[in-house]
Amino acid sequence: MEPYRPHEILIEQGEENAAVVRRALAQLPDVPVRIVEREWERHTKLSSEGDPFAAGKRRLLFTRQRAPALHYCPAGTPGLVCCNYLVISLISNCPMDCSYCFLQEYLANNPTLKVCTNVEEVLAAVAAVVDRHPQRHFRVGTGELSDSLALDPLLGFSRNLVPFFAARPNVLLELKTKSDCVDELLYLDPKDRVVVSWSLTPPDIVDSEEHRTAPFAARLEAARRVQAAGYKVGFHLDPLIEYPDWEAGYRETVARMLAAVELRRIAWISLGSLRLTPALRTTIRRRFPHTRVLSGEQVPCIDGKWRTFQALRVHMYRTIRGWIQEAAPQVPLYLCMETAAVWAKVFGHTPACDRDVARVLTGPHLSPPVAG
Amino acid sequence: MTQPDIPCALSERVAAYARERRLSPPTLARWQAWPEEDKAALLVLARELQLNENHLRDFLDWLEEIAVRDRCRVADLLTAPAIQQPLTAHTARSEKLKGVKEALRKIRYPRLSRLEADLRAAVKALDLGRQVRISFPPALEGDAITVTLTARNVRELADCLTRLHQRIEDGRMQKVFDLLDQA
């Protein structure tokens, strides 16, 4: 995978000496640097010419995070089964450029790649929440507004995150990635509290749609390496993309995925159909006119997003579930952003409540909750 | 002295059509970016059907998506019998437009269209009469069907219910629900 190299580094005034800034500057000595005022992006008229979203990815802004540290994952949409996932966003926007990425729409008005300079403060705020509720299990991820590991060689956030979560018996951290940037992780002890997970699509989709990500084989090799270093791994067949050869493509994907790692150390596998808002479809058409992701038989669903029509996506879920459960029946499997009706058709039952899903996913990995 | 009648360049003719139908700049730009033969084929269709902005955008979306998926040319798609048949039929323009859009939708959504056709056939086979209507969720998204009964008196209502009950008992109604799940 090509290392990330911005065209320009912007540092919010007063943050010049933050550890993450010094680390990045040392690695990118010849990239132009500018000191900017607080909330620079809000006060700056960015060019709307060409591809502002792509330009934003090449502008790296170090800024203090002032927003609350912990959020519920936005997948918890009314009408859909939710897995009670929490997210921390230390980075906003991503050096990769997948054709289907929701950030193209979500961050259209603030596309600058932003990195938080006060990671210790953010983690202290997280500690204040999770340590106050030792009887509760939390599953937390950093891969919502960016890839969890793609910038790790530059920023080294895993050195903050892994020891922090390794020390907490009631929290499981998920680092979700399409990269192979795992070197930093190999020297840290996750104490079974960190799951490193990969989003996987068939190799030809990786090559044509997931720009600047690690190749399929490199992701699996990275998974093998972190597993050998003591981490649990997870896989997300999400987005599940329907295209003419999807069955052959996903059969190969599942077979290679399950052959690459020790099955008993897989924390979970999720399946989630490609979902696109109408605005995102328009953006994708403009930015990736030759993409294949819009050519499936997608229709508008109850949440306004377009997905493969229900009967076909249920067929896809059932087919893939069958392959996975045949080879790895013990691995927890769940659906992302689906209705209870679809869960019932795929698994034969619907979770009684959202906490059921979360319990199935965290249960095997965290110690029993402390009474309290 | 009048100018000789020189045929305009294709892109000028497309631009002229866009002015005539007040197409938006992004829609025109998308169309103009197509290969010449595809652009020309769509111009013939647009002129014949007098496509406005919304219809034209649907055509651009579907044609681009089919061309990418099936690795074919738009010009070949538009000259295929499935599209030419409704286009050249001796019917009103609105009927032609409806026919061409339906034909193109079948190509764009082959499995969904087939399932919809199978469901229509299964409902017809139930032979429930005109007073019982069965409808499905839009784009078959969801798993509930809607049954509408129309009755002017208790006897008609009882007839409707009896027919429905018979179809439930003999398993034919179950087949309709089962079909909803089959892609």
Side-chain angles (χ1 to χ4, degrees):
Chain A
M1 209 180 102
E2 281 282 303
Y4 171 69
R5 195 182 157 75
H7 290 165
E8 185 182 23
I9 295 175
L10 308 174
I11 305 168
E12 183 182 305
Q13 203 160 35
E15 300 303 308
E16 299 89 331
N17 290 318
V20 66
V21 175
R22 280 187 274 117
R23 180 183 162 118
L25 292 181
Q27 290 188 60
L28 300 166
D30 47 356
V31 174
V33 177
R34 239 183 337 139
I35 307 297
V36 296
E37 63 184 298
R38 181 175 161 174
E39 299 195 355
W40 169 85
E41 195 175 38
R42 241 181 78 192
H43 300 139
T44 305
K45 180 143 178 54
L46 298 170
S47 169
S48 57
E49 295 295 305
D51 186 351
F53 185 71
K57 287 175 181 285
R58 293 290 170 189
R59 199 167 47 233
L60 177 60
L61 169 62
F62 287 97
T63 179
R64 196 167 191 76
Q65 178 154 319
R66 294 169 178 95
L70 214 49
H71 303 265
Y72 268 105
C73 164
T77 306
L80 303 177
V81 176
C82 158
C83 66
N84 265 311
Y85 195 66
L86 294 166
V87 292
I88 304 172
S89 296
L90 299 175
I91 307 171
S92 171
N93 209 342
C94 176
M96 300 164 170
D97 203 4
C98 299
S99 62
Y100 52 76
C101 181
F102 84 104
L103 296 177
Q104 296 172 90
E105 182 200 356
Y106 195 74
L107 299 177
N109 296 324
N110 52 342
T112 299
L113 203 162
K114 289 181 273 300
V115 172
C116 146
T117 50
N118 52 331
V119 62
E120 291 86 356
E121 274 177 43
V122 170
L123 291 180
V126 173
V129 176
V130 299
D131 295 349
R132 208 168 50 230
H133 301 284
Q135 76 283 7
R136 279 188 61 188
H137 282 171
F138 296 91
R139 204 161 58 103
V140 178
T142 59
E144 190 211 359
L145 294 186
S146 190
D147 184 282
S148 292
L149 294 174
L151 292 176
D152 210 41
L154 182 67
L155 308 174
F157 278 159
S158 57
R159 290 186 191 184
N160 303 89
L161 292 167
V162 173
F164 175 86
F165 285 96
R168 289 176 163 75
N170 61 330
V171 195
L172 207 54
L173 169 69
E174 180 178 30
L175 298 170
K176 204 185 279 188
T177 189
K178 289 190 185 106
S179 80
D180 55 357
C181 304
V182 296
D183 289 352
E184 297 278 337
L185 297 176
L186 304 179
Y187 306 99
L188 302 165
D189 181 2
K191 295 192 169 63
D192 258 358
R193 303 276 189 268
V194 181
V195 176
V196 189
S197 66
W198 275 266
S199 299
L200 290 179
T201 53
D204 58 327
I205 297 288
V206 170
D207 296 343
S208 62
E209 306 289 345
E210 298 182 347
H211 312 286
R212 295 204 291 273
T213 62
F216 183 87
R219 293 185 209 175
L220 293 185
E221 173 56 16
R224 194 196 56 73
R225 290 174 71 208
V226 297
Q227 200 180 53
Y231 290 84
K232 286 181 176 154
V233 297
F235 294 104
H236 300 283
L237 302 179
D238 186 351
L240 209 54
I241 296 172
E242 183 250 320
Y243 62 105
D245 297 324
W246 71 265
E247 203 155 344
Y250 279 99
R251 186 190 288 273
E252 180 194 351
T253 301
V254 169
R256 289 175 64 181
M257 169 183 95
L258 296 179
V261 293
E262 244 184 276
L263 301 182
R264 62 181 184 84
R265 302 273 306 159
I266 298 178
W268 51 68
I269 298 174
S270 78
L271 307 177
S273 180
L274 176 72
R275 39 207 182 270
L276 306 168
T277 62
L280 179 55
R281 290 175 69 84
T282 303
T283 303
I284 293 171
R285 263 185 238 294
R286 194 185 68 242
R287 295 194 67 232
F288 301 99
H290 304 294
T291 180
R292 285 190 280 172
V293 302
L294 299 176
S295 293
E297 294 193 46
Q298 297 147 5
V299 298
C301 297
I302 54 162
D303 57 356
K305 292 179 182 167
W306 290 55
R307 292 172 175 78
T308 302
F309 73 94
Q310 184 174 296
L312 181 52
R313 73 176 192 275
V314 166
H315 170 62
M316 293 176 76
Y317 288 144
R318 282 176 178 160
T319 305
I320 295 169
R321 184 214 67 195
W323 295 331
I324 293 171
Q325 290 191 334
E326 193 184 333
Q330 74 284 13
V331 174
L333 199 57
Y334 69 98
L335 301 179
C336 188
M337 291 199 88
E338 276 299 353
T339 59
V342 169
W343 272 76
K345 286 174 195 290
V346 176
F347 294 115
H349 68 273
T350 306
C353 65
D354 294 343
R355 290 202 174 168
D356 260 15
V357 187
R359 220 177 350 257
V360 167
L361 298 176
T362 54
H365 312 292
L366 297 175
S367 35
V370 177
Chain B
M1 203 171 95
T2 54
Q3 290 285 325
D5 189 16
I6 302 168
C8 283
L10 176 59
S11 50
E12 285 172 34
R13 282 186 281 141
V14 169
Y17 181 83
R19 278 194 301 276
E20 186 188 312
R21 304 297 301 179
R22 297 181 182 182
L23 301 184
S24 68
T27 299
L28 173 61
R30 234 176 116 187
W31 189 1
Q32 293 282 28
W34 279 15
E36 294 288 287
E37 282 184 31
D38 295 347
K39 200 155 64 175
L42 183 58
L43 182 61
V44 171
L45 183 94
R47 286 209 172 285
E48 180 65 31
L49 299 177
Q50 287 295 296
L51 298 179
N52 62 21
E53 169 80 17
N54 288 342
H55 285 309
L56 192 73
R57 226 175 19 225
D58 285 347
F59 275 91
L60 287 169
D61 288 354
W62 286 358
L63 289 167
E64 283 177 353
E65 289 159 7
I66 296 166
V68 167
R69 183 192 64 198
D70 298 348
R71 295 177 183 157
C72 63
R73 294 182 328 154
V74 167
D76 294 337
L77 262 171
L78 291 180
T79 50
I83 304 294
Q84 285 299 311
Q85 202 181 343
L87 188 65
T88 54
H90 296 289
T91 52
R93 187 180 289 150
S94 59
E95 283 302 304
K96 284 185 186 187
L97 175 59
K98 197 173 156 210
V100 171
K101 280 197 97 168
E102 271 175 18
L104 196 59
R105 185 176 182 273
K106 275 186 193 164
I107 301 172
R108 174 65 188 84
Y109 293 94
R111 277 166 293 197
L112 179 59
S113 301
R114 207 177 311 131
L115 181 54
E116 287 167 340
D118 289 349
L119 283 165
R120 276 194 300 271
V123 169
K124 196 174 172 197
L126 290 176
D127 192 23
L128 288 166
R130 297 173 72 176
Q131 287 163 300
V132 181
R133 210 172 144 251
I134 294 189
S135 51
F136 299 96
L140 306 183
E141 188 60 33
D143 55 354
I145 68 170
T146 305
V147 181
T148 311
L149 307 180
T150 308
R152 283 168 296 192
N153 51 51
V154 170
R155 204 177 122 200
E156 283 186 3
L157 181 60
D159 284 349
C160 292
L161 292 171
T162 304
R163 279 199 297 275
L164 268 174
H165 188 70
Q166 283 168 351
R167 304 306 181 265
I168 291 168
E169 288 296 302
D170 66 18
R172 282 195 277 169
M173 188 60 92
Q174 183 61 49
K175 281 186 186 160
V176 174
F177 281 99
D178 292 346
L179 258 181
L180 258 183
D181 254 355
Q182 288 170 19

